[in-house]
Amino acid sequence: MEERHGPRISHWWRYGPPGWRRYAEAAESRTSGPPWRSTVLIAVFMLVGSNFAAHAQPHREQLDVFARVLLLLAALMLLWRHRHPSAVVFGTAAVTLVYLAAGYPYGPVFLAVTVGCVGAVAAGHRRAAWTAVGLLWAGHLLIALWLYRWLPPAGDGRASVLQEIVVGTWVLAVLALSELARVRREQWARERADRARAARLRADEERLRIARELHDVLAHSISVINVQASMGLALLDSDPEQARSALTTIRAASREALGEVRQVLDTLRAPGAAPRAPAPGLDRLPELVEQAAAAGLTVEVEAEPPHLPPGVDLAAFRIVQEALTNVVRHSGSRRARVSLTSRGGELRLLVDDDGPATGGDAGGSGNGLAGMRERAAALGGTIEAGPRPDGGFRVVAVLPSRTWEDR
């Protein structure tokens, strides 16, 4: 479990603000091993900075070999801060306490504890980090207020209130910085999860849209092909000319189906690629009438198709197409009516036939009505479909005929 802390922290920075991403990319390359580069920089800073601190605090013990060993040891512990954050924060706190008990000058020695504490809290080891820093603070108070009589430097006095306020402020600042890093990490993790969920939702919606388009395109064309193929087989010997006409219709329907399938699949190409043809709309209603006629169905259209927004126009076309396909497949009637009425910001579509239902299996998937309802619901419209009291079947769709910008 401990081995995941390094990669997890660097992955967190990758999704942070843009200024941190270069750091994340550099840190990512180091997660396979100890963070040598940053540890060396910290060690150099602690050693050099402590020399300056010693000159500014002549009343403290001067740096000797033991002091430099302690500084180097505290810095080198940070090599394992990703793999063992709890042990590192306790180790750096202990070494720092020994350094202060030996009477050496205050200064960059606290940097190792700070880095270890921030790393432990960010990795989820809050209790260990708070305990280690609390013990360091308690040990310093014990040294400064009581044990100073027996510890170097000789003649050292009791610590002042101002000095303890400074140390206490440093402790609180370290803990606050650690908690801030933890909160930001959790925030970025939630944002990353939200982006992933939104991307999955968009992908699911796009797959559903493509599946619905393919169903509508193929269901209608294959129904026409199925009817014409049956007719051609029945008339192949008795009426070759009529059979030839049926085969011609099959070829035309299959060509159109292939073209529309290519158009739908164009949406799967790389971003920026423009579609090869505009999306179909009610202006192609005469083509549906011709295809239905080729399948032996006479369609009467009442009213001219109104001007509609592209999304509504496509949905209306597909609903009429699916409704006529269902008549061809499942109705014994050879006549159907399509009525279009646009009024009050709504388009009312009505497709019905006189029936009766054939009860046969035309090879459909059974998802036609569900697909129509999904299309209507996506636009804020409704679909009602069912048998008529006097026989036959009726589909009534109500769709918004204006976009929100037009209202």
Side-chain angles (χ1 to χ4, degrees):
M1 295 295 292
E2 297 286 346
E3 296 179 357
R4 294 204 301 268
H5 291 312
R8 188 171 62 177
I9 292 175
S10 63
H11 193 60
W12 154 43
W13 288 115
R14 176 181 295 279
Y15 290 93
W20 287 100
R21 290 177 184 170
R22 288 189 295 273
Y23 170 82
E25 292 171 358
E28 197 79 20
S29 63
R30 301 195 299 272
T31 56
S32 58
W36 285 99
R37 184 179 302 175
S38 59
T39 301
V40 169
L41 291 176
I42 292 172
V44 171
F45 180 81
M46 290 175 61
L47 291 172
V48 174
S50 296
N51 284 327
F52 287 100
H55 290 296
Q57 304 172 49
H59 59 283
R60 304 289 293 177
E61 291 291 318
Q62 295 301 303
L63 296 179
D64 54 15
V65 174
F66 182 61
R68 290 182 170 84
V69 169
L70 290 176
L71 291 171
L72 190 60
L73 178 61
L76 290 179
M77 285 184 181
L78 298 178
L79 287 172
W80 292 275
R81 64 183 183 270
H82 292 163
R83 295 179 180 272
H84 309 286
S86 298
V88 168
V89 71
F90 276 108
T92 53
V95 171
T96 302
L97 189 60
V98 172
Y99 177 93
L100 297 176
Y104 296 119
Y106 295 94
V109 64
F110 295 107
L111 179 60
V113 182
T114 302
V115 174
C117 181
V118 171
V121 172
H125 299 264
R126 300 176 63 198
R127 182 176 298 178
W130 281 67
T131 302
V133 175
L135 290 176
L136 175 59
W137 191 9
H140 174 267
L141 289 176
L142 187 64
I143 294 171
L145 301 179
W146 183 45
L147 296 179
Y148 67 91
R149 300 181 180 90
W150 302 281
L151 296 175
D156 192 17
R158 182 187 180 93
S160 65
V161 175
L162 179 61
Q163 184 178 359
E164 291 309 310
I165 291 177
V166 171
V167 174
T169 302
W170 171 83
V171 171
L172 293 177
V174 170
L175 294 177
L177 178 64
S178 303
E179 289 299 319
L180 176 62
R182 178 187 63 82
V183 170
R184 291 305 300 267
R185 174 179 179 270
E186 293 176 354
Q187 178 183 352
W188 290 331
R190 286 194 298 270
E191 291 175 355
R192 186 170 65 249
D194 291 342
R195 289 195 296 269
R197 282 194 296 269
R200 288 195 298 270
L201 180 60
R202 288 193 299 270
D204 291 342
E205 290 176 348
E206 183 65 11
R207 283 195 293 268
L208 178 60
R209 187 189 69 82
I210 292 173
R212 191 163 52 226
E213 287 289 314
L214 288 175
H215 171 272
D216 291 346
V217 169
L218 296 177
H220 177 76
S221 300
I222 291 178
S223 294
V224 173
I225 291 172
N226 180 57
V227 171
Q228 293 297 321
S230 300
M231 184 185 301
L233 287 173
L235 300 175
L236 185 61
D237 295 326
S238 61
D239 193 345
E241 287 301 321
Q242 188 65 27
R244 182 187 299 273
S245 176
L247 292 175
T248 303
T249 302
I250 290 174
R251 184 178 64 178
S254 61
R255 184 187 298 115
E256 181 177 354
L258 287 174
E260 293 202 21
V261 168
R262 290 193 189 99
Q263 180 183 341
V264 172
L265 295 182
D266 276 345
T267 59
L268 299 179
R269 294 185 297 168
R276 299 180 182 180
L282 289 178
D283 58 331
R284 292 180 54 183
L285 194 55
E287 296 181 22
L288 292 182
V289 174
E290 293 178 2
Q291 292 172 2
L297 179 67
T298 301
V299 180
E300 299 176 2
V301 179
E302 300 177 5
E304 291 294 325
H307 178 72
L308 299 170
V312 179
D313 203 19
L314 172 61
F317 176 82
R318 293 303 188 199
I319 290 172
V320 173
Q321 184 183 50
E322 180 62 30
L324 293 178
T325 300
N326 288 339
V327 174
V328 172
R329 284 177 173 172
H330 308 297
S331 176
S333 173
R334 295 297 84 194
R335 300 183 67 86
R337 287 172 297 280
V338 176
S339 174
L340 306 172
T341 306
S342 181
R343 183 172 50 200
E346 290 183 340
L347 173 69
R348 180 183 175 88
L349 287 173
L350 186 147
V351 181
D352 62 355
D353 66 272
D354 299 328
T358 60
D361 182 10
S365 63
N367 295 322
L369 289 177
M372 287 193 288
R373 291 192 175 97
E374 289 172 358
R375 283 188 181 276
L379 296 170
T382 59
I383 288 281
E384 295 181 4
R388 299 190 316 181
D390 57 346
F393 198 84
R394 171 170 291 174
V395 175
V396 180
V398 179
L399 304 175
S401 61
R402 291 184 295 178
T403 61
W404 285 107
E405 292 78 3
D406 298 330
R407 297 182 180 181

